[in-house]
Amino acid sequence: MTENRPGDHEKYVKADQPYERDTRYIETRITRDGADGYPVEAGRYRLVVSYACPWANRSIIVRRLLGLEDAISMGVCGPTHDWRSWTFDLDPGGVDPVLGIPRLQDAYFRRIPGYEKGITVPAVVDVPSGAVVTNDFPQITLDFETEWVDFHRDGAPRLYPEDLRREIDEVNAVVYRDVNNGVYRCGFAGSQEAYDDAYDQLFSRLDWLTERLRTQRYLVGDTITEADVRLFTTLARFDPVYHGHFKCNREKLSEMPVLWAYARDLYQTPGFGDCTNFDHIKRHYYQVHRDINPSGIVPKGPDLSNWAEPHGREALGGRPFGDGTPPAPLG
């Protein structure tokens, strides 16, 4: 984490340098065999998220699609944070009601005193000890899909089916490099050259995705998979944030017909749109990233009501949940 004084904002742009994401995560896993010391156990763990964060948003969506709400509780941080940590400012008294802490960093410090790397969401916390188990966001959702199967709801989709895992992994790798992280490489580029390279790589991959999705409804196979979840959370932030704030402005998502229809198809699928909070998304990026938006002003636009417009992707076939069923409507 950046060494800032209290009240300072974290710095994301380093002059004359390309953006490099810190991927040194706590890689402990929660598995059925408990090999890392943390066995799958309903009610033991709490998923801490923010609806603002695309990496955390993935875990929110997967948890809901699989019906893990009763097995894994969820704590929600507010959309903004300071240099110290994400905070539970949405909860009464600013304290998480299960963990009893005001800041996510308290759970990190319980696991590793003086933890010096990023205090990130999503994080899975062991409730009895109050310590973070893992913040390895790509592995968290994969383990939800493969290790927590005994607690999946009846009719849960197969988001990471064995026969498609190799292809899903291949798609995820290039989408992460060029799109999920590519928008950050544009927004936090410290030089014109770094920005230009990231911009070209981003839109080249979006063009590739357009051709892939022109004749098939989903990224891999004929049902929703982990690959769709990972791409969706970036697309959902594209027009509200990345197009302007991160200078990803060759065109808006709403001006890319295939990807725009694909994104609306997912958004209108239970588990996606109902786990998306555009207000939190906009407030996070524009208020936290003060080195690229010094005023902290949050733009009023764009009008996001167009996410509810018909998408027409049903004509391509496919079944969102395969042989399963959608999750029940949120109460």
Side-chain angles (χ1 to χ4, degrees):
M1 179 173 288
T2 306
E3 293 183 359
N4 290 11
R5 298 184 306 276
D8 283 353
H9 291 279
E10 188 172 353
K11 302 301 181 185
Y12 297 88
V13 179
K14 296 183 179 179
D16 301 320
Q17 295 183 32
Y19 172 68
E20 297 292 341
R21 180 174 297 279
D22 184 354
T23 57
R24 298 172 298 160
Y25 301 112
I26 301 173
E27 297 180 342
T28 308
R29 293 178 60 194
I30 300 169
T31 56
R32 283 193 281 183
D33 63 8
D36 286 357
Y38 293 94
V40 167
E41 182 181 331
R44 176 172 173 176
Y45 305 100
R46 188 159 177 81
L47 173 67
V48 178
V49 300
S50 168
Y51 282 93
C53 171
W55 323 108
N57 202 173
R58 296 177 180 181
S59 63
I60 299 170
I61 291 170
V62 169
R63 174 178 174 268
R64 173 151 161 69
L65 291 175
L66 298 178
L68 289 172
E69 293 96 330
D70 291 338
I72 307 170
S73 68
M74 188 169 78
V76 180
C77 298
T80 62
H81 61 76
D82 60 22
W83 67 275
R84 289 173 59 200
S85 178
W86 293 90
T87 57
F88 294 100
D89 50 293
L90 302 178
D91 292 305
V95 174
D96 180 87
V98 172
L99 300 174
I101 56 176
R103 291 180 173 273
L104 180 57
Q105 72 174 15
D106 298 333
Y108 276 82
F109 291 168
R110 185 69 62 85
R111 174 73 187 273
I112 304 173
Y115 184 78
E116 296 181 347
K117 293 178 281 188
I119 307 294
T120 60
V121 289
V124 182
V125 179
D126 176 47
V127 175
S129 68
V132 166
V133 178
T134 180
N135 65 340
D136 186 358
F137 70 88
Q139 192 63 49
I140 287 173
T141 53
L142 295 180
D143 284 344
F144 283 178
E145 292 153 4
T146 60
E147 299 294 330
W148 287 82
V149 290
D150 292 340
F151 297 97
H152 289 182
R153 66 178 176 85
D154 292 338
R158 297 172 63 237
L159 297 177
Y160 196 50
E162 289 191 34
D163 59 322
L164 295 178
R165 286 181 189 177
R166 180 175 179 179
E167 186 176 0
I168 290 171
D169 291 346
E170 290 172 350
V171 170
N172 284 346
V174 296
V175 167
Y176 170 78
R177 183 192 66 204
D178 300 339
V179 181
N180 301 144
N181 197 46
V183 293
Y184 286 86
R185 292 177 60 243
C186 289
F188 297 150
S191 70
Q192 187 69 49
E193 180 182 9
Y195 165 76
D196 289 347
D197 288 346
Y199 177 100
D200 291 343
Q201 197 165 1
L202 167 65
F203 282 100
S204 176
R205 184 59 61 190
L206 291 176
D207 290 342
W208 178 85
L209 287 165
T210 291
E211 294 309 309
R212 184 180 183 93
L213 290 165
R214 192 181 298 280
T215 56
Q216 63 187 61
R217 191 171 178 184
Y218 303 109
L219 275 174
V220 181
D222 64 355
T223 64
I224 291 167
T225 68
E226 171 80 10
D228 298 295
V229 175
R230 294 192 182 194
L231 177 57
F232 171 79
T233 58
T234 297
L235 296 183
R237 288 157 177 75
F238 205 91
D239 287 5
V241 176
Y242 301 148
H243 178 269
H245 186 59
F246 278 177
K247 306 180 186 70
C248 302
N249 60 358
R250 190 187 77 178
E251 55 205 325
K252 297 177 181 176
L253 174 66
S254 57
E255 296 167 343
M256 295 181 263
V258 172
L259 290 179
W260 175 223
Y262 165 79
R264 295 201 315 279
D265 186 6
L266 292 176
Y267 180 81
Q268 294 169 32
T269 299
F272 286 84
D274 52 20
C275 290
T276 301
N277 189 316
F278 288 122
D279 175 62
H280 281 210
I281 289 167
K282 290 172 62 175
R283 286 166 60 194
H284 172 74
Y285 284 91
Y286 287 103
Q287 291 183 334
V288 171
H289 300 159
R290 293 298 180 92
D291 47 348
I292 57 177
N293 186 42
S295 70
I297 293 173
V298 181
K300 294 182 70 174
D303 180 3
L304 299 170
S305 62
N306 53 4
W307 280 88
E309 294 177 354
H311 52 77
R313 297 279 294 179
E314 305 94 333
L316 294 175
R319 300 171 298 153
F321 298 96
D323 294 328
T325 59
L330 290 173

